């Protein structure tokens, strides 16, 4: 039996294919799906699953070297911004902030996207797997 804490089969399959330099988008429920990117939809209702839970699980399964968020997150949810930055620091990952428009463009380069139940559109990030 697998000890992996992630039970979603589609998410596990996608994670098993992540390679060095690949990007994974974690997008809020109301964030527009990146065109041409597979979306693994975990959203059940507002807040389920939460950004924090999903972010922590992905960070525990991946070796992330960069986290990109929107500049607007600071105004929309400063607590989430601080939380993301603290996990980035703990993992030794660089932080990058882009405008919402730039972020939407970056999300299109993701290997896949994980849609969560977070209602705040700005609570979306792009994670980059460490390059060896």
């Amino acid at each position: 039996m697998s000890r992996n804490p992630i039970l979603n089969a589609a998410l596990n399959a996608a994670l098993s294919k992540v390679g060095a330099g690949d990007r994974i988008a974690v997008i809020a429920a109301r964030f527009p799906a990146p065109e041409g990117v597979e979306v693994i939809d975990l959203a059940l209702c507002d807040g389920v699953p939460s950004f924090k839970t999903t972010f922590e699980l992905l960070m525990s399964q991946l070796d992330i070297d960069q986290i990109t968020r929107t500049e607007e997150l600071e105004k929309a949810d400063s607590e989430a911004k601080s939380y993301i930055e603290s996990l980035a620091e703990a993992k030794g990952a660089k932080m990058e902030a882009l405008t919402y428009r730039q972020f939407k463009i970056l999300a299109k380069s993701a290997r896949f996207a994980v849609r969560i139940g977070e209602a705040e559109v700005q609570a979306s990030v792009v994670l980059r797997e460490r390059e060896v």
Side-chain angles (χ1 to χ4, degrees), residues 5-126:
I6 297 174
L7 302 177
N8 184 283
L11 182 54
N12 274 321
L15 286 170
S16 73
K17 297 173 188 167
V18 172
D22 281 347
R23 290 185 173 94
I24 299 95
V26 180
I27 57 174
R30 292 176 178 85
F31 186 88
E35 191 175 322
V37 175
E38 174 191 5
V39 176
I40 299 168
D41 198 341
L42 303 180
L44 295 175
C45 61
D46 278 351
V48 180
S50 70
F51 174 81
K52 186 176 180 180
T53 299
T54 307
F55 185 67
E56 284 177 4
L57 280 170
L58 290 173
M59 291 293 284
S60 75
Q61 298 301 303
L62 297 165
D63 186 16
I64 300 301
D65 71 353
Q66 183 172 339
I67 302 169
T68 305
R69 63 168 178 81
T70 64
E71 291 174 346
E72 293 83 356
L73 181 63
E74 189 164 0
K75 291 179 187 171
D77 191 343
S78 61
E79 187 177 311
K81 176 192 169 280
S82 297
Y83 175 74
I84 292 167
E85 289 175 348
S86 69
L87 251 68
E89 187 176 325
K91 281 282 217 174
K94 294 187 314 183
M95 282 295 308
E96 178 182 40
L98 300 176
T99 66
Y100 182 73
R101 175 180 243 161
Q102 292 170 321
F103 184 86
K104 282 176 43 177
I105 293 167
L106 178 67
K108 290 179 183 180
S109 70
R111 182 173 188 90
F112 63 91
V114 180
R115 185 189 316 274
I116 58 174
E118 191 64 47
E120 178 56 57
V121 175
Q122 308 306 343
S124 300
V125 294
V126 172

